[in-house]
């Protein structure tokens, strides 16, 4: 299984890898939403779903990098993803004394505004 995770997050320069990663992200996100609907929580255990468990941990570590300004990874956390995860009440397990909780709220607000703007623009081009 480890091989697979490395491939998933490989920083390969292959064209279209970001697109693949994005759709993979959406897939994992949907899996988490489904898990929450079924179990009523998001405490995924490794023995229940190793892939999802690893993904959750990865989101937390990418989020930590994002909050601390280390966004060197090609697959770094984005405002949009933070908004999506916040929406379902994702537990970042982050020490918000380091970064004020309002910073996240602001990032989420910006992300939400951003997506709405994009959607509107698309319509006017039709």
């Amino acid at each position: 299984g480890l091989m697979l995770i490395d491939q998933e997050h490989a920083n390969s320069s292959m064209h279209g890898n970001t697109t693949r990663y994005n759709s993979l992200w959406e897939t994992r996100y949907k899996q988490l939403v489904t898990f929450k609907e079924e179990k009523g929580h998001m405490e995924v255990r490794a023995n229940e779903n190793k892939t999802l468990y690893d993904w959750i941990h990865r989101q937390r570590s990418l989020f930590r990098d994002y909050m601390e300004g280390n966004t060197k990874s090609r697959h770094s956390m984005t405002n949009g993803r933070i908004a999506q995860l916040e929406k379902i009440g994702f537990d970042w397990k982050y020490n918000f004394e380091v970064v004020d909780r309002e910073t996240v709220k602001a990032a989420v607000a910006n992300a939400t505004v951003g997506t709405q703007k994009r959607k509107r623009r698309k319509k006017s081009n039709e």
Side-chain angles (χ1 to χ4, degrees), residues 82-100:
I82 291 173
Q84 273 182 275
L85 288 164
E86 276 280 303
K87 199 169 68 186
I88 60 169
F90 186 79
D91 181 2
W92 300 105
K93 297 238 193 300
Y94 185 79
N95 177 1
F96 283 103
E97 280 123 55
V98 182
V99 175
D100 184 26

Side-chain angles (χ1 to χ4, degrees), residues 35-80:
F35 182 93
K36 189 191 179 184
E37 281 164 5
E38 285 170 5
K39 313 262 185 182
H41 64 79
M42 285 181 281
E43 295 298 315
V44 182
R45 291 198 304 273
N47 61 1
E48 283 178 305
N49 186 333
K50 182 77 172 86
T51 315
L52 195 55
Y53 174 85
D54 288 339
W55 183 82
I56 288 170
H57 280 266
R58 176 145 180 94
Q59 300 318 301
R60 285 181 182 142
S61 92
L62 288 173
F63 178 74
R64 198 167 49 242
D65 288 347
Y66 174 93
M67 293 309 270
E68 286 155 26
N70 317 322
T71 47
K72 285 176 203 68
S73 160
R74 263 198 49 235
H75 300 315
S76 48
M77 187 50 79
T78 64
N79 278 352

